[in-house]
Amino acid sequence: MGLLTDPRVGTGKMIKFLLKREKQLCFLLYIAGVIYTMILAVPVFNEQTYFSENALLPGLVTKESNLDQTSKQFYYELLHEMKRYPDSMPYAWLSAKFNQLHLDTFIHNFSLTYPFKQQKFTGQNIYGIVRAPKTASTEAIVVSVPFRPINSVYLSTAPSVALLLAFAKFCRKQKYWAKDIIFLVTEYEQLGMQAWLDAYHGVTSGQEGILIAGDLPGHAGSIQAAINLELHAMKISSIDVKVEGLNGQLPNLDLFNLAQSMIAKEEIQKTFQRRIDSTDTNKLKKWWYHFNTLMTMIATQATGIPSGNHGLFHRFGIEAVTLEGFEKTGKGSKANFYQVGRVVESMVRSLNNLLERFHQSYFFYLLPSTERYVSISLYMRPLALIVANLFIKAFSIWQKLLAPVLQSDEKDNLQIQNIKIKNFDIGNIASEILWAHTFGVCLLLSPQMFTSIGRQMWNLHTEDSIYFGNAMATTLTLLWPLTSRRMVKYKNTLLVFVIASVELATTLICVAMCNFSLALLVASVYVPAVLFSKPRQGSVLGFRILLYILWILLHPFVASSIVILGYTYVQFPEESLLSLIFSGYRATKQAFVFSIIDSMIYGNWFYNVTTTVMLPIWLLFWNIICLKSTS
């Protein structure tokens, strides 16, 4: 505290150097942070994956399963049944098959009350349990599949259901299981999985009264790990291992290593982010390829949306991954369900060996390939270098406000002049900060109001009401300071700048503790904008206009729209410009609704943090550069 409050501290050599070289230092730190991020894909800056938990005994078991023929039989029966129910799950058929396999079979009913129209939807999950034959039901392993009907817009998972049934038949005959094995088929993708997990643990993860999980008629032991299957064909070209979970959480690295090791042992092509590891002998090209894989993971993790049903297990301390297999097209080797079944068998039997929960390996990591990882001790450094700029900038302004001020005379010699700035308008500063955060909270609570007004006055759909409501709020925030004639004192504006910079830096560090990728991406675009910003007081008009444009693009509403438009272009590059804009517009409206619903149902905090933290910070900086300051 003495460093911040003692006015004599500014006379130190370190402080004088900091005030004199602030811009150069910030520039170097930011560039160093960006370069450090890029070289994380270089082998020198990452490590070879390895098993920390020796109790898994990966690959040492003698595999006994041959699920190919049994899977085919179940698959063709299931296809016939799915044609009878093209829009729903064949509950009776699945339940009958579980019973025929002599599993403890249960049906879980759940319901969803849509928050904007008060419509109610119902669904069912079906699961069977193979009880551990020689131990008490204290621990369990889950093998799950999200059921997708024929009319689903997503790739079919019927082969996954067939493999799950075949594997359940195999497991039922074995006597070496030390843990219960739960075979779960969920309806409505992640909705059914969230309802089942909430019911299993007796909690409500989202808002009360929206996803009503109900009660489970049957339980097993404490779930230790889960394997989610998304196999889209009986013959596949590769298996992609998905790890990204809700709010950026990741499973223990040992489980990822286990999956990759077992896939490779069965001579199936293994991938991560649907990318095969590069074998290029050119080091530069190999680095660039793995850097792109790394950035793909960062982009996926930053959204906070699970990449599969596995991502909902992590909040309960359950390690889980998704194995996604894609249909073989063209020439090349292909894997059948004899090999895929042995991958699942190997993983479940390795998990069966565990004597305790996963804890040995990393829970925080980045992956440039299937065999290399970047630990938290390495990837936090570039973020620290970038965020340090905000603290340096804030500290520099603070020193100029409360401590000696360095001024330059005509001969460019530095002189120290003790100037104490007194009598801040604390009331005005506090009200400005309070107003910005109050606006963010109001916007967080506004979707219900936007939907109600849009439906009653203009008969708008939910997504249109929320989109236009946010667009109106964005327009007001942009125009108000530009049209306001209110004058603020320069010293008050500088103090608000200090507070906003420290708040942004603290927010980025806190977010990085759970979702590093989101913090890194936000820091990469916001920090340069903050460093170039300063209160409006006789600056060059051209620079001021560029600053306005920059901060408009950084508005959360505008920035998210640009990102979604860019993603639409990547997915559909063949579309015309007009068609691309219209598709991006529709995708943006849907994304806003989905982010709100995700926060209500799953507890995804992306929308909450954006409206209550990032938007108020943006408002503070927007007012700083727009409102005219007096000396």
Side-chain angles (χ1 to χ4, degrees), residues 456-474:
Q456 294 177 9
M457 298 187 65
W458 298 287
N459 197 28
L460 295 176
H461 294 294
T462 298
E463 58 187 31
D464 292 317
S465 300
I466 291 177
Y467 181 84
F468 291 128
N470 279 278
M472 181 183 65
T474 301

Side-chain angles (χ1 to χ4, degrees), residues 55-191:
L56 283 169
L57 301 176
L60 296 185
V61 298
T62 301
K63 288 168 282 190
E64 304 171 357
S65 66
N66 186 348
L67 308 181
D68 193 44
Q69 293 301 321
T70 310
S71 297
K72 287 181 180 179
Q73 180 182 348
F74 282 127
Y75 177 65
Y76 294 126
E77 290 181 22
L78 177 59
L79 284 183
H80 175 74
E81 199 69 20
M82 288 174 66
K83 292 177 182 177
R84 298 175 56 192
Y85 306 95
D87 296 312
S88 62
M89 188 164 74
Y91 312 106
W93 185 86
L94 287 170
S95 180
K97 289 302 176 184
F98 277 139
N99 282 315
Q100 290 173 12
L101 297 176
H102 304 290
L103 274 63
D104 292 347
T105 306
F106 307 97
I107 296 177
H108 168 230
N109 298 295
F110 64 93
S111 61
L112 171 72
T113 302
Y114 190 66
F116 300 120
K117 290 184 179 180
Q118 296 304 311
Q119 292 178 316
K120 193 168 185 177
F121 304 90
T122 59
Q124 288 184 332
N125 300 317
I126 297 176
Y127 62 104
I129 303 175
V130 172
R131 303 289 181 180
K134 296 183 179 180
T135 60
S137 296
T138 56
E139 296 180 341
I141 302 168
V142 173
V143 181
S144 67
V145 173
F147 184 85
R148 296 169 184 168
I150 291 178
N151 292 345
S152 173
V153 297
Y154 302 105
L155 295 174
S156 172
T157 56
S160 304
V161 177
L163 180 65
L164 179 140
L165 292 172
F167 185 57
K169 182 179 180 180
F170 166 79
C171 292
R172 184 68 181 82
K173 300 176 182 179
Q174 310 308 316
K175 302 299 181 183
Y176 45 66
W177 300 117
K179 297 175 174 61
D180 295 340
I181 304 177
I182 304 172
F183 297 93
L184 171 65
V185 181
T186 61
E187 191 175 18
Y188 299 131
E189 300 293 330
Q190 296 178 9
L191 195 64

Side-chain angles (χ1 to χ4, degrees), residues 5 78 86 109 181 190 197 245 291 322 335 346 366 387 423 471 544 585 592 609 617 631:
T5 58
L78 177 59
N109 298 295
I181 304 177
Q190 296 178 9
L197 286 170
F291 174 69
T322 288
S346 300
L366 296 176
V387 174
N423 300 324
R544 182 63 52 185
Y585 163 71
F592 285 169
V609 171
I617 292 174
S631 299

